[in-house]
Amino acid sequence: MIPKHILGTFDEALTALRKDLLMMAGLAERSLDRAIKGLLQRNDDLCATAIADDEEIDQLEKQIDKDGFEILLRFQPVASDLRRVISAIKLSPNIERVGDQATNIAKRARKLNRHPPLPEMELIVPIQAYAMTMFKDAINSYVRENVELAHSVCGRDKQLDDMNREANKKLTERMMQDSDQLRGYFNLLLVSRALERVGDHATNIAEDAVYTAAAEDIRHKGAAVPA
Amino acid sequence: MENLVMPSDRIAEERVEQPTEVPSNDEAAPASTFQVKNMSIWYGEKRAIQDVTLDIASNSVTAIIGPSGCGKSTFLRALNRMHELTPKTRMEGTVLLNGEDLYSSTVDPTVVRRRVGMVFQKSNPFPTMTIGENVIIGLRLNGVHDQKFLNERLEKSLRMAALWDEVKDDLHKPGTSLSGGQQQRLCIARTLAVEPEVVLMDEPCSALDPIATAKIEELINELKATYTIVTVTHNMQQAGRISDYTAFFYLGRLIEFGPTTTIFTNPKERQTEDYITGRFG
Amino acid sequence: MHFETAHNHTWRKFKSALACTIAFVSAILVILPLGLVFFYLLVNGIGSVNWDFFTKLPAPVGAVGGGMANAIVGTLVLLAIAGVIGIPVGVLGGVYLAEYGSARINSVLRFLADVLNGVPSITWGVVVYGLIVLRFKSFSALAGGLALGLIMIPLILRTTEEVILLVPNGYREASLALGVSRWQTIVHIVMKTASRGIITGILLALARVGGETAPLLFTAFGNRFWNHSLTEPIAALPLQVFTYAISPYDDWHRQAWAGALVLVTGVFCVNLLVRILTRGRGASPL
């Protein structure tokens, strides 16, 4: 679709950057998936791998920064090339933090797994599904430069926040009623909160996807136009 | 628990919104020094410029980019009628300089060139003249002989060209004894000495090293306060550094024109994008 | 990829040395006649180059001594007249060829100038004889000067054109871009930049016609006495040398050698001046 650069090494560098970014997103997605499964299926092994994989994600973040800087330095990209490099550099910390949230969830899960299951675990199920889809769609919208999908991801963030708030409320109530299980409820509360964070990062990623595809900055629209 | 209080990135970012407006041709646009309408230029049978319409804003730097042979130099030279020096040229359309038609039959091209100065790719101080003589030769040949006035203008022009401190003790030395970058600034001083309204520059840094280039670029930035500057450049990064507006020419046509930031982050035309990103096949 | 064999290398070196030797010998052969001529003139002529030679009129036939003062002055007068005619026309014509005119007219003019450069100099003498001498029924300094001037025109025209074309276009454009008019650009920028070259061309043309004899035979004619009017015949150094050389008198032969020596020395000095002028490149003060 896009013609190649005259300078072959430029194309190679951009491709390498994109490959690293996709690999990083894939790893983060897998970790998140494992952490949640570890929680829902009470599987400590899955939690352990999710935590272990975080190191690789962190390394990829550094690699992407390095690649991005090198492209900026050596090829001085402009227009869509510049936007791709800039958004890669901006995207990778968001993915890295999704990885961190996966680690968080996995750590909470291991603690929860030591005690009998709590029925309130049900509260987490819709939230994790929602957050997971947001993250996948955000990555997809970036990869495919799909502006519509990206906008839809941003639109979903509020719903996730509401779901998290609802869960918080219920869990807090349970904490007061059943102080024996305080630790368990607290851990679930943190899991919910981590998933809400995943949604925030997904939104950031989607916003960068819009910038990459359409060179439009859709962040903080509310500040410019007071409703 | 270290991630518990992690602030949301989106809230942490407080960058000021960049306006991404496209210059419009309506009344709200900034004052225009040049108004070019439907300009076409032929060299013999060959059409070098095809139907270009463009307004050049006052007290700004407009960069013209495009591959070799795209007509950008021809367009530049048509702004002070220098292209007429090439035999068998024909021009259609109008060029207004502050509202006056440059191509009206009553207008003398030499007067046009006095108002629209030009600096060339290769620095070309006159080899038979000293540094001082080079600066004031334009005035002298235009009939100014008041020595006091000439001396004042000499210093003023050299100061504006950021060359005074470097040459003030060597004004009697040949112009060609200076370094390449100094020679180019001497040529700029020579152009400024006749007090034009516009300074056209045809790849003014293409023969200079990065330091000399940076000095010229800094100078261009300073001159913008007093003059309208139009520059042709092959160096995209330079266009990005120095210009407020960028025009992309291809095959004699104006493909795209807009604020430099827009052109270099989000060009509207595929051809612009392909050219500036280095994808021209 | 292989490096050449040693054998090949030796053969190549030999060929190179051979070519170098041939070129060197050719160069010597070029310089040799000049050396011989100068040496011969020196040997035969130096004895008669003395104060009298530069200050006295030719002695009457049979008398010993005398000089060529009138011929030396005559040559200078003739060159002055030729310069007045040939320099402005030649220089302005060269400027026209280089700066104005259409390509077609220019190529015709250039061709004609080259043809004129190839016309035997005696032809110029005959032409001026027909046009001037016959009409005014008198040989004259003016006719001689005119003949030399006409020879100078195509010479100066071509050299002027060439040096003006050598002036980089950037200077013209720079000047025009300052709002300086075309003719001022040509006079103050282009011709000034090319001035050394133009002067060189003029000097070389003067040196060339200074030694001409044939065109003067029917025009200046020669004169054994001081010339008092430009409408009268005038002596000239080459003419005097010619007359003396074909005479039967030994003393005149010696004078002819001396005259030739002075002439060659003069031409040599002009060429030396040209070399000095063209050596220094760079700016000169206004």
Side-chain angles (χ1 to χ4, degrees), chain A residues 45-58:
Chain A
D45 287 348
L46 283 175
C47 292
T49 29
I51 293 166
D53 280 355
D54 195 44
E55 171 64 18
E56 198 176 343
I57 296 174
D58 290 352

Side-chain angles (χ1 to χ4, degrees), chain C residues 73-91:
Chain C
V73 171
T75 285
L76 294 177
V77 170
L78 284 170
L79 285 179
I81 297 169
V84 166
I85 296 163
I87 293 170
V89 179
V91 168

